[in-house]
């Protein structure tokens, strides 16, 4: 018979989002040692937050907070770049996909779409809500 284990203790993270969280993901450990117990979150307030959750004292701290200039963020993926650094990819309500380098805090727009006409009021809309990342190196599969 299996022995029941106690659930992990809940932690309150400092500097939480001011609106609903849309995604959480642990940042993979990079070649330079970034990541590991870093938890990335995105939310409707348009910010990426990275908290350290690996403190031995049970505490947590805000490592990085970056406003992505996109409006609400809807999609999040984390991976290691070909250069070996931890990176996050976000998709926002503005229709853009952005890349955030965890080590430097620098963000860039990778691409966007303007959405389509709704057929009535000339209002355009669109969102990048599905973002995924693949681990390098890129390899071609069998033909």
């Amino acid at each position: 018979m299996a022995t029941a284990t106690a659930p992990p203790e809940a932690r309150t993270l400092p500097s939480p989002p001011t609106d609903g969280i849309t995604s959480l993901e642990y940042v993979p450990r990079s070649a330079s040692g970034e990541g590991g117990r870093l938890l990335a979150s995105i939310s409707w307030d348009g910010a990426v937050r990275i908290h350290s959750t690996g403190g031995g004292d049970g505490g947590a701290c805000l490592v990085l907070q970056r406003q992505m200039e996109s409006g609400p963020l809807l999609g999040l993926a984390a991976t290691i770049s070909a250069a070996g650094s931890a990176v996050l990819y976000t998709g926002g309500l503005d229709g853009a996909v952005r890349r955030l380098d965890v080590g430097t805090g620098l963000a860039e727009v990778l691409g966007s779409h303007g959405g389509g006409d709704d057929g009535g009021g000339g209002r355009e809309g669109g969102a990048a809500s599905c973002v995924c990342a693949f681990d390098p190196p890129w390899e071609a599969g069998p033909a």
Side-chain angles (χ1 to χ4, degrees), residues 40-135:
S41 65
I42 59 169
S43 71
W44 276 82
D45 67 7
V48 172
R49 289 173 179 80
I50 301 175
H51 289 89
S52 172
T53 62
D57 61 357
C61 66
L62 182 66
V63 174
L64 174 71
Q65 180 172 328
R66 171 78 176 183
Q67 194 66 32
M68 296 300 279
E69 310 301 331
S70 64
L73 293 171
L74 306 174
L76 174 67
T79 191
I80 301 297
S81 72
S85 62
V87 294
L88 300 176
Y89 295 91
T90 64
L93 192 59
D94 66 347
V97 174
R98 290 173 171 79
R99 178 184 185 273
L100 175 66
D101 184 297
V102 174
T104 65
L106 297 176
E108 64 179 319
V109 175
L110 298 179
S112 64
H113 64 86
D117 187 351
D118 69 358
R123 183 178 144 220
E124 290 189 2
S129 63
C130 182
V131 178
C132 64
F134 297 92
D135 293 331

